[in-house]
Amino acid sequence: MTPALLMLASWAVEAVFGWPDWLYRRVRHPVVWLGVLIAWLEQRLNRRAFPSWGRYMFGTLASSLTVMLATGLALLLVRSLPDGWTGYVVQAAIASSLLASRSLYQHVAAVAAPLSVGDQSAARTAVSLIVGRDPDRLDEAGIARASIESLSENASDGVIAPLFWGAFFGLPGLVAYKTINTLDSIIGHRNERYEAFGGFAARLDDVANLVPARLTGLFIAIASARLSAFRIMLRDARGHRSPNAGWPEAAMAGALGIRLSGPRIYGDRRSEEPWLNPEARDADASDIRSALRLYTLALAIAWLALTGLVLLEAVR
């Protein structure tokens, strides 16, 4: 079984079963375990008394150790498993836990359902689970915009990027990427506590997502069959605060004919972000469902691309 075929099998398992609640209650989730390790290292190495350069160095050390440990364990596991289907089934089961196509759809759909009937309170509660901005400050357009942005960005971070690295480097590549992305999620923030300590992790995540983010934007644009998706992506993506997230978000904005990004509030801080597709209208509840349909089509195209890679490897 090639790495690409392993990813295809793993994705099928994740799409059908996800990570069941009963399993989460018993063993949590691999990303939770990573989070515990990262938090433990951060609490011990990220000291306010250290100068910025010292915090950056300790953050680089913590990030490097975490990636090496997780990837090393994955390599050890792969080499210790028996050859044949038993070993591949175990690898596919583990790899499926590090993909998030099913859970991402469910989390965003959980925002669309109450918002479509005017229940903004329930929609704010649901959107707070997938974005970091203050949900109490969001009106209908803000809730819709936040959920669509999260769907677009995490289509790359949670699905396409792990599949990309896994398709070329197998389970160790997938684990390495997921560790990098988790580090960025926990310590890669631009604030007083994390900016120096998490600086290396944030840059590493930028590099790891460079190609997958652009692929995700391309898949969304193709799925929409609208030239505006390509045009807005190429025009506005580079203006985003992130070197990567702007590509799928701008493609989604152009595909749906809405504006995304823009100013937002995190805690007591207002972040003046530029708009993507600024001349378009604001999003509403119906656009979330349209975005979910487009997400599904984009992943179908990604599935075909991965299948093509499997076939290409088979004829070599």
Side-chain angles (χ1 to χ4, degrees):
M1 182 178 287
T2 65
L5 184 56
L6 175 64
M7 290 302 104
L8 202 60
S10 303
W11 194 5
V13 172
E14 187 273 333
V16 174
F17 299 105
W19 188 256
D21 290 339
W22 64 265
L23 187 57
Y24 182 86
R25 288 193 296 270
R26 285 166 173 78
V27 299
R28 296 304 183 200
H29 188 275
V31 173
V32 175
W33 309 337
L34 279 172
V36 171
L37 173 61
I38 295 166
W40 184 83
L41 288 169
E42 190 271 336
Q43 289 171 5
R44 282 153 182 79
L45 298 178
N46 187 19
R47 301 296 177 86
R48 291 179 179 272
F50 296 155
S52 294
W53 65 266
R55 295 169 75 180
Y56 182 87
M57 293 302 296
F58 276 115
T60 300
L61 175 64
S63 298
S64 300
L65 286 174
T66 304
V67 174
M68 287 189 293
L69 176 61
T71 307
L73 287 174
L75 281 167
L76 183 62
L77 175 66
V78 170
R79 292 183 178 180
S80 65
L81 288 171
D83 293 331
W85 285 105
T86 301
Y88 290 129
V89 168
V90 173
Q91 288 189 60
I94 295 171
S96 71
S97 72
L98 301 176
L99 302 172
S101 64
R102 180 186 178 95
S103 62
L104 177 57
Y105 185 99
Q106 291 172 330
H107 276 91
V108 176
V111 181
L115 194 62
S116 63
V117 295
D119 189 350
Q120 291 191 18
S121 177
R124 289 189 185 98
T125 300
V127 82
S128 69
L129 300 177
I130 57 175
V131 300
R133 67 198 71 172
D134 185 356
D136 294 331
R137 307 283 188 93
L138 300 176
D139 56 9
E140 178 183 358
I143 295 169
R145 188 165 61 245
S147 59
I148 294 171
E149 289 167 9
S150 181
L151 177 68
S152 305
E153 180 177 1
N154 285 294
S156 176
D157 291 359
V159 187
I160 302 303
L163 286 170
F164 175 85
W165 290 106
F168 289 103
F169 300 104
L171 182 62
L174 172 57
V175 169
Y177 169 77
K178 201 63 182 180
T179 304
I180 291 168
N181 188 242
T182 304
L183 280 160
D184 179 64
S185 298
I186 295 176
I187 63 173
H189 305 290
R190 297 177 182 176
N191 56 32
E192 183 181 356
R193 177 173 178 176
Y194 294 120
E195 187 162 18
F197 187 80
F200 176 78
R203 300 293 80 76
L204 193 60
D205 184 72
D206 287 343
V207 173
N209 281 295
L210 196 67
V211 174
R214 286 151 180 80
L215 279 176
T216 306
L218 180 62
F219 292 150
I220 291 171
I222 293 172
S224 73
R226 295 184 63 178
L227 289 176
S228 59
F230 293 94
R231 180 174 59 82
I232 298 302
M233 178 176 67
L234 294 173
R235 188 193 71 183
D236 293 351
R238 292 179 178 84
H240 196 278
R241 71 188 186 283
S242 164
N244 296 317
W247 292 85
E249 288 186 25
M252 187 69 80
L256 298 179
I258 59 175
R259 63 177 184 171
L260 293 176
S261 194
R264 73 277 308 276
I265 297 174
Y266 298 96
D268 59 354
R269 181 176 61 87
R270 179 180 173 88
S271 180
E272 297 292 341
E273 306 292 347
W275 290 100
L276 302 173
N277 201 16
E279 63 274 13
R281 62 178 175 83
D282 277 325
D284 58 28
S286 67
D287 291 309
I288 304 178
R289 296 199 181 279
S290 297
L292 285 168
R293 287 192 291 271
L294 193 54
Y295 165 78
T296 304
L297 286 173
L299 292 194
I301 293 170
W303 179 277
L304 291 175
L306 185 56
T307 302
L309 181 59
V310 170
L311 294 175
L312 183 63
E313 291 176 336
V315 299
R316 281 185 176 180

